[in-house]
Amino acid sequence: MLSAKVVLFLTLGVFTAAYLAVWVAGVRRTRREAGAGGTDSAGPAGEGGAPTPLQAAVGFVVSFFDTLGIGSFATTTSIFKLRRMVPDELIPGTLNVGITLPTFFQAVIYISIVQVEMRTLVLMIAASVAGAWLGAGIVAGWPRRNIQIGMGIALLLASILMLGTQLKSSPGWPGHIAAALFPSGGNAEGVAGASLAVALAGNFALGALMTLGIGLYAPCMILVSLLGMSPKVAFPIMMGSCAFLMPVASIRFIQKRSYALRPALGLALAGIPAVLLAAFIFTWLPIGAVRWLVIAVVVYTSAAMLRSAWAEKSRPAAAPAPALTPPG
């Protein structure tokens, strides 16, 4: 009988294989149609040539830090916009299509090397997928800026809580003050009962929020830590959740040809060795260093969300088009 981990790997492999098959078939179809039409270019979804050195460098850097929990969507978006590498309307599709394959390797590596209770892992991954699938229609109607502000403040407060917990082991007055103010963290590899129910509800909500572009990594780290699990356990949970979510999203972007091929290839091909290098470094980090890493990630994400909310407030609102005016 196959173990739960083997079944999880096989299922993830099927998802990823389907995404790759659709991608290859889509590129071939787009190029074939372009050739039949007598044009030299198949457009951004089928353009020829290998990624440029800059596109490959971007793929390596963002996947390296993504593997350490920093996240890659916000940083890659900033680089693409700063360097004008990808048209704005193609950035979401390029990110999903390009980063899906490195995320697959992240999930496989972390699920293999980090000890985590399999029931907790499988159920939390399933909850995030259900949240992204079922909750998309509800969450899509929420004000994006309000969610960014709320989550940014919540993550900042949570990072203070985690910092206090981390300082409890410090000698002298910092440790004594932290011990009096903050509860102890945990090192559990999974949860059960009411804690498991909270974990599933939380990851369901995080999966739904991903439809608004709210990253799952930092909030998942907080959720895992506050439930008494080891901060290392967050890595297979959050990487596994995204690895199952992203192939589905990528297939939709590929079918709509709403992505740029060469930058996506740079993210995919250069991202794989970056994942392997970062995961090797992670295996050598003691648990205390991982906790400091988690705090840094959460503070960074909190600041990024609040900055994005401020940017949306400062951006002038587009005038709504008359309802009966035809396009063009």
Side-chain angles (χ1 to χ4, degrees):
M1 183 176 179
L2 298 178
S3 67
K5 183 177 291 190
V6 172
V7 173
L8 187 65
F9 284 150
L10 290 175
T11 306
L12 180 57
V14 170
F15 274 60
T16 306
Y19 139 80
L20 286 174
V22 171
W23 192 8
V24 171
V27 172
R28 289 177 175 173
R29 182 176 61 253
T30 304
R31 290 178 175 173
R32 184 170 59 250
E33 291 173 357
T39 59
D40 295 329
S41 173
E47 59 189 356
T52 66
L54 177 59
Q55 291 166 346
V58 170
F60 185 92
V61 171
V62 299
S63 283
F64 178 86
F65 288 105
D66 189 53
T67 308
L68 295 178
I70 300 297
S72 57
F73 274 29
T75 51
T76 312
T77 298
S78 299
I79 295 172
F80 280 172
K81 291 178 72 68
L82 180 64
R83 302 289 302 183
R84 298 182 180 178
M85 296 172 62
V86 177
D88 286 355
E89 68 274 13
L90 298 181
I91 288 178
T94 304
L95 293 176
N96 278 276
V97 174
I99 298 176
T100 292
L101 199 56
T103 304
F104 165 80
F105 282 93
Q106 290 173 9
V108 171
I109 291 171
Y110 278 119
I111 292 173
S112 300
I113 67 176
V114 175
Q115 290 296 321
V116 55
E117 197 258 321
M118 285 304 300
R119 183 182 64 168
T120 300
L121 173 65
V122 172
L123 290 179
M124 288 189 72
I125 289 176
S128 70
V129 174
W133 183 262
L134 300 176
I138 300 174
V139 175
W142 293 354
R144 175 187 173 91
R145 181 171 177 270
N146 292 356
I147 295 176
Q148 289 173 328
I149 294 174
M151 290 199 68
I153 295 174
L155 288 174
L156 185 59
L157 294 176
S159 68
I160 295 173
L161 175 63
M162 295 178 66
L163 178 62
T165 303
Q166 183 74 343
L167 290 175
K168 290 178 65 174
S169 59
S170 301
W173 62 267
H176 294 307
I177 294 177
L181 295 177
F182 298 100
S184 299
N187 293 304
E189 296 177 357
V191 288
S195 294
L196 179 59
V198 172
L200 299 183
N203 232 33
F204 178 92
L206 295 180
L209 289 172
M210 283 190 68
T211 63
L212 279 177
I214 306 296
L216 181 141
Y217 282 9
C220 185
M221 289 179 176
I222 292 294
L223 176 64
V224 165
S225 296
L226 294 182
L227 288 174
M229 288 184 274
S230 166
K232 284 193 172 184
V233 170
F235 284 80
I237 292 174
M238 64 192 188
M239 304 299 185
S241 298
C242 291
F244 275 94
L245 288 171
M246 291 181 68
V248 178
S250 296
I251 288 174
R252 296 183 65 182
F253 284 114
I254 292 168
Q255 291 173 337
K256 293 181 178 180
R257 304 179 188 179
S258 181
Y259 73 100
L261 177 61
R262 294 177 68 190
L265 285 174
L267 292 173
L269 299 179
I272 296 173
V275 168
L276 299 177
L277 176 61
F280 175 78
I281 293 174
F282 179 86
T283 59
W284 290 90
L285 291 177
I287 191 66
V290 174
R291 286 196 172 98
W292 283 115
L293 174 65
V294 170
I295 292 172
V297 169
V298 172
V299 170
Y300 167 83
T301 306
S302 172
M305 284 190 180
L306 294 175
R307 185 176 64 249
S308 297
W310 177 262
E312 289 201 12
K313 177 184 178 182
S314 304
R315 185 181 300 116
L324 300 179
T325 301

